[in-house]
Structures are given as structure tokens and as C-alpha cells.
Amino acid sequence: MKTDMRERRWAEKFPHLGTGPLPTEPYVSEEYFALESERVFRRSWLHVGRVEEIPDAGDYLVRDIAVCNASVLVIRGSDGVVRGFHNVCSHRSNTLVAAERGNCRRTLHCRFHNWAYSDSGELLHVPDEENFHGLDKRDHGLTPVETGIWEGFIFIHLDADPAESLRDYLGGVAGRLDGCPFGEMKLLQSYKVEERANWKVGLDAQNELYHFPMLHGRALGNLFAMNEKQQCRYLDVALYDRHSMWSSEYNAEREATPLTTKLFAFDGFVRAFEIPQMTGGTDFFTLFPNFAILLYNLGTSAAYMTYQFWPLAVDRTVWETRLYFREPLTVRERLRQEYFKCISLDTLQEDAAVHESVQAGLASRVKPHILLQDNEIPIRHFHRVLEERVAFYRQA
């Protein structure tokens, strides 16, 4: 499939999104940030990890969600079921588990007064229990958090009674990626960086390829297909109820270096591995509000990466990145993965520097609007969804 290089084709395909500027105030307003906490993050399904992180009974992970003043404990019970709980002891609301991950050996103990809970959340033991007044342990287990799993990704919902199931929330993205071989790929590398930027600045910057030739020209060269003006264009764009996908293809005529020629030469031992759900060489899925899945078809291999932007404050964000590959069979295959990891790190560092630079400009409030071109249509869609949820700074 060849990229359609027509200009402004996406505005024609999605006219409901308009073409006007978007306000900058939501990136710097404390009031808007508070509304995002209550109306977006507390009312959305949030990705918190992978099932491979907690494979055995008693394995747990803790996800602190600062934007909601919440800490969530996700644990695999002795019955094999993955459950979520608020990471809060029922006695005096002490944080129950301090470590980010571990194994509780079937019992969770609060270090403050040693109240003990099972790995399915029941209160098992209270020291000096007879000295309490009418305490019934059956009424004071851990507070559950709604938890769901899709294709090995663990999601939680902080609303005690979510308006819709995880499957319904994911909608067309789930339909498109069902059966994707995520479980066949293992974590190769992860990064976590705190940025002096609003969470939307980072997500916006990653959710388009307009910047590729300019910002990543040195790291990526002419890897992606471009038009005669040396500008990248989408192969495809799909907009769902809340989420989006854009796809790009690689430049079939890109010049290979001696290193890449050696690394990516077929040697007869490398497994042919492609992701059948993919459209192009790179497919970028944004799952509202703050999670992204990037799929890569690398010719002789395949990989996927995830992004997650966790707000800490209106101008501070934790950006988490994880890169997954299949277990390599040969040294050359392993070197390919390392090469891809290094190229990815170079581009991520370039991105992170710009995120903070953009936030500094926004904070000056010199510009009341941002301007978006046709190849930034996924950003426009994201902000339309966000604004509908927040129902605040409405566009005319």
C-alpha cells in the first residue's frame, strides 16, 4: 500500500473536527488540571501494567496515580485471578504496600499495626482484636478497584461503578488489535523520566509525525516515506469514539549504512515475524487518556513500544516508555534489537527536550492558541474528546 500524498486530505475526511486553532490555556490552567483529574482520570480506564509482571500467585505491582491522589495495588491471587485494590489499610489508612512490586507470599501486612490481608483482599488478622468495639473483619477488607485485562494489558477504573466495561471503552481499538501477539514479546528496555511539562504536551508531540524530518533528521534520517517536499504523510488515520490510530510506511529507497546492511541481512536463522493487525511500517494507537501503543514491522522482526504520560501537576509529568521484542535466537537478532533500542533512545531524548521547551513557551501565555496542520489531525481529535469530557473551555 502506498501513502496518499494529497494535501489536507484528513480535514476532508474528518470535517467535524474543524481546522481552527486550539486554546493554550488548558495546558497551563490549574483549574483545568483539577477538572481533568475529576472528569477524565477518575472516570476513564487507565492502563497500569502487563500480566507478565505478576505471573505467580502473590505477585503484585503498585501504581501511584498522583493526579487522583490514589495508590492502586494490583495482585494475582492464589486462585490466579488478577485484582485491584486501593493501597490503603482499613485501620488508619496507612499505605499498605510500600514497594513498587514484589510477592506477598499470600499475606499482606501493614507495617503500622500489622493488620493482615489475604491476596484476595480479605482482612485475616487484627492484633488485639478483642479490644476493638464491635469489629467484624468481614466488613473491613481492602477496598476493591475495578480491574480488567485486554490482550495482557491490565487496566483499572477508579470509579466504584464504571459506566462501561473495559471492552466497550476500548471499542474499535480492541476490535482492530484483538489477537495481536503482544504476549509473544518480552520487555527489553524501559525508561522513566520526569518532565517539566503538562502531560498533554508530551502526548501531543508523540501523536504526530509532522516533526520527524525536522527534529529527528539526524537520528532517523530518511527512514520514513516523504513527499517531494521532504515531509512525512500518514498512510492511514482511524478515529474512534475516544481513541485514534495513525500509520506510516518506511522509505523503500532509504540508504542503508554498512552497519545496518550487516545487521539486517537475512541469515537464514532469523524467524519471519510480522504483526498481522498492522497497516504500515509503524502504527501508533492512542488510548484515551494517557496511553499509547506503537507497533513496528521491522522487516526481519517486529516489536512494540508503549508510552504513558502520568500527570503530577499542571506543569510536571512522568513519561514512561517500554520496548518489547521476542526472545532473540541469534546474536545478530539480539544486536538488531540493541540497535533499535539505541535509535529509539536518541529520538526519545530529542522529544523530551522539546516537551519542556514547549511548556516554557505555553507558560508565558504569549500565544493564546496553537495551530494544527492536516498531519496533526490525531491531536485535534484527542483534544475534542478531552474537551467533551471536561466541558470547560469550549470552542466556538
Side-chain angles (χ1 to χ4, degrees):
M1 184 185 297
K2 289 293 184 181
T3 298
D4 187 339
M5 293 296 184
R6 287 180 298 161
E7 304 302 308
R8 294 179 295 192
R9 60 185 291 232
W10 303 113
E12 296 175 4
K13 184 174 181 179
F14 306 111
H16 67 285
L17 294 178
T19 57
L22 301 182
T24 56
E25 193 64 14
Y27 295 92
V28 294
S29 166
E30 293 281 2
E31 185 179 3
Y32 198 95
F33 183 77
L35 289 172
E36 288 175 341
S37 169
E38 181 60 34
R39 301 184 183 182
V40 176
F41 284 90
R42 284 192 175 275
R43 301 182 185 180
S44 298
W45 284 96
L46 305 174
H47 168 259
V48 294
R50 290 277 310 166
V51 292
E52 296 93 343
E53 298 177 67
I54 49 172
D56 301 320
D59 285 348
Y60 65 83
L61 61 89
V62 171
R63 170 65 71 181
D64 292 330
I65 305 174
V67 67
C68 297
N69 295 316
S71 179
V72 176
L73 169 68
V74 179
I75 186 167
R76 186 180 293 276
S78 300
D79 56 2
V81 177
V82 174
R83 299 178 177 88
F85 301 99
H86 286 278
N87 187 25
V88 177
C89 179
S90 299
H91 176 213
R92 298 263 292 280
S93 294
N94 183 46
T95 298
L96 182 64
V97 178
E100 288 188 4
R101 61 189 67 248
N103 185 287
C104 71
R105 298 183 181 180
R106 300 196 174 197
T107 308
L108 297 155
H109 295 268
C110 178
R111 60 181 175 173
F112 196 6
H113 296 95
N114 204 37
W115 282 37
Y117 303 85
S118 73
D119 58 16
S120 54
E122 295 89 356
L123 178 58
L124 298 177
H125 174 68
V126 174
D128 201 17
E129 179 180 349
E130 60 275 11
N131 212 31
F132 282 84
H133 305 281
L135 176 68
D136 187 338
K137 293 196 296 292
R138 293 172 297 180
D139 297 332
H140 299 285
L142 298 179
T143 303
V145 172
E146 194 71 22
T147 306
I149 298 174
W150 168 76
E151 292 296 340
F153 294 103
I154 305 170
F155 290 79
I156 61 94
H157 202 298
L158 291 173
D159 192 324
D161 185 21
E164 57 191 333
S165 68
L166 173 61
R167 179 75 193 196
D168 289 343
Y169 181 84
L170 294 175
V173 168
R176 189 157 184 161
L177 292 181
D178 279 343
C180 193
F182 296 113
E184 297 181 35
M185 293 176 270
K186 308 301 180 185
L187 181 65
L188 174 66
Q189 185 67 52
S190 62
Y191 303 104
K192 181 187 292 187
V193 60
E194 183 175 330
E195 299 184 324
R196 297 187 299 272
N198 183 270
W199 68 281
K200 301 183 294 295
V201 168
L203 188 58
D204 287 352
Q206 304 313 115
N207 197 15
E208 47 94 351
L209 46 67
Y210 175 38
H211 70 282
F212 280 17
M214 287 71 74
L215 184 61
H216 301 316
R218 178 174 296 181
L220 298 180
N222 63 345
L223 175 62
F224 289 90
M226 301 182 190
N227 62 13
E228 66 280 357
K229 295 184 292 185
Q230 299 301 297
Q231 296 297 314
C232 293
R233 291 289 184 265
Y234 295 127
L235 174 62
D236 189 24
V237 173
L239 303 182
Y240 304 99
D241 184 28
R242 303 174 184 86
H243 321 297
S244 66
M245 185 283 296
W246 57 260
S247 179
S248 62
E249 61 182 346
Y250 300 131
N251 177 9
E253 300 177 355
R254 63 186 181 274
E255 183 177 350
T257 65
L259 174 60
T260 56
T261 299
K262 290 291 187 181
L263 280 179
F264 289 91
F266 182 71
D267 56 13
F269 294 99
V270 177
R271 300 161 291 180
F273 180 49
E274 295 184 353
I275 299 175
Q277 290 83 357
M278 289 188 64
T279 300
T282 296
D283 289 359
F284 190 110
F285 290 83
T286 300
L287 280 63
F288 187 86
N290 67 329
F291 184 50
I293 302 174
L294 295 73
L295 305 180
Y296 298 100
N297 180 357
L298 304 176
T300 56
S301 185
Y304 81 93
M305 185 183 292
T306 63
Y307 293 157
Q308 194 132 23
F309 293 89
W310 289 105
L312 299 178
V314 68
D315 58 355
R316 289 195 302 124
T317 300
V318 171
W319 181 16
E320 295 181 355
T321 304
R322 295 184 177 188
L323 177 60
Y324 297 80
F325 272 98
R326 288 214 303 186
E327 289 287 348
L329 290 181
T330 66
V331 172
R332 180 179 291 184
E333 189 176 3
R334 183 70 178 90
L335 289 173
R336 287 187 184 116
Q337 296 176 3
E338 284 297 314
Y339 175 78
F340 185 82
K341 184 182 78 173
C342 291
I343 295 297
S344 298
L345 179 58
D346 287 345
T347 60
L348 293 172
Q349 289 176 324
E350 292 169 340
D351 287 324
V354 170
H355 297 170
E356 295 195 344
S357 179
V358 168
Q359 185 66 31
L362 291 166
S364 72
R365 286 186 164 87
V366 170
K367 301 293 185 181
H369 297 95
I370 60 173
L371 305 175
L372 297 176
Q373 60 123 274
D374 199 58
N375 242 40
E376 295 169 294
I377 195 78
I379 299 175
R380 194 179 293 281
H381 173 68
F382 168 81
H383 283 273
R384 171 64 66 88
V385 174
L386 178 67
E387 182 58 30
E388 289 174 351
R389 297 292 289 272
V390 172
F392 195 62
Y393 294 102
R394 288 200 175 277
Q395 303 175 49

